[in-house]
Amino acid sequence: MIATRFDTERLALLPLHVEYADEMAKVLADPALYTFTGGEPPTVEALAAQYERQCAGPGRPGEYWLNWVISSLQDDELIGYVQATVTETEAEVAWVLGTRRQGRGYAKEAAIGLVDWLTAQGARRIIAHVHPDHTASAAIAAAAGLERTDRIDDGEHLWENAKQARP
C-alpha cells in the first residue's frame, strides 16, 4: 500500500516528501501544538531527517507508513499532516493541524478523508489514540466515525471505527 494524493472539498492530501520539511517546520513551530503529545517544535533539519525515515518506511514486511501533508486548495499552503501505520489487521491514524488554521474544520475534514481513503483501500479496523483532555481531537475522531473505547494506552484513550466487526 502506498500513499497517493487525494482531495477533499477544501484540501489536497499530498504524499510526504522530504522537500516539505522547510514549510512544515513553520507549520509545526508553535509550542502549543505539543501540549497533549509532548515534545517540541522540530528544526528543519530534524524534520527533514524524520521525513527521510518516514518515506523509507518501516522495513518490516506487511507494515506500511503512509504520510501526507495537508495543503489548502484555496492558497496551496501547507497547514498540517495526517498519517497512518497500516498492517494487515489495522490502520492506526493521527492528525496534526498548525495552530494558525485551527478552528475552521480542516483537521476534521482531513481525518474524515483519511478514514474514507483507508476504508476504500480495504482497511477494516481503524484506530486512533487521543489524550483524555484533548476535546478537539476527540471531536475530530468522532466525526471521522471512530468511537472511544474503555481502553487506555500510554495515557490516551483508544478510539476505533464503529463499523468494524468486533470479536
Side-chain angles (χ1 to χ4, degrees):
M1 184 179 294
I2 61 168
T4 58
R5 176 188 170 138
F6 64 94
D7 292 356
T8 64
E9 182 179 336
R10 301 177 296 164
L11 306 171
L13 286 93
L14 309 172
L16 182 66
H17 294 286
V18 175
E19 294 78 22
Y20 294 133
D22 187 52
E23 189 174 352
M24 284 301 295
K26 295 171 188 154
V27 172
L28 302 174
D30 186 349
L33 279 176
Y34 308 90
T35 300
F36 297 106
T37 61
E40 59 189 39
T43 64
V44 172
E45 297 78 18
L47 200 54
Q50 176 185 326
Y51 287 178
E52 282 184 35
R53 289 188 304 276
Q54 287 176 310
C55 289
R60 289 182 290 278
E63 182 176 326
Y64 306 93
W65 291 349
L66 308 179
N67 298 277
W68 294 263
V69 293
I70 305 167
S71 177
S72 165
L73 288 171
Q74 180 180 9
D75 57 20
D76 292 326
E77 187 176 311
L78 299 184
I79 63 173
Y81 67 86
V82 295
Q83 58 190 39
T85 299
V86 180
T87 64
E88 185 178 312
T89 59
E90 69 185 28
E92 185 170 339
V93 299
W95 49 84
V96 173
L97 193 75
T99 53
R100 199 169 73 84
R101 298 289 185 111
Q102 290 179 2
R104 300 180 202 172
Y106 292 126
K108 178 173 104 172
E109 186 175 327
I112 290 169
L114 175 61
V115 168
D116 289 349
W117 187 91
L118 289 165
T119 301
Q121 305 306 310
R124 290 173 292 166
R125 182 171 187 244
I126 300 173
I127 63 171
H129 293 83
V130 178
H131 189 282
D133 297 328
H134 199 329
T135 56
S137 201
I140 292 164
L146 306 180
E147 291 182 343
R148 193 183 93 181
T149 70
D150 293 332
R151 290 179 286 177
I152 303 284
D153 183 21
D154 199 23
E156 296 182 317
H157 287 286
L158 180 68
W159 290 66
E160 63 185 0
N161 52 322
K163 295 178 183 171
Q164 68 136 6
R166 295 203 170 107

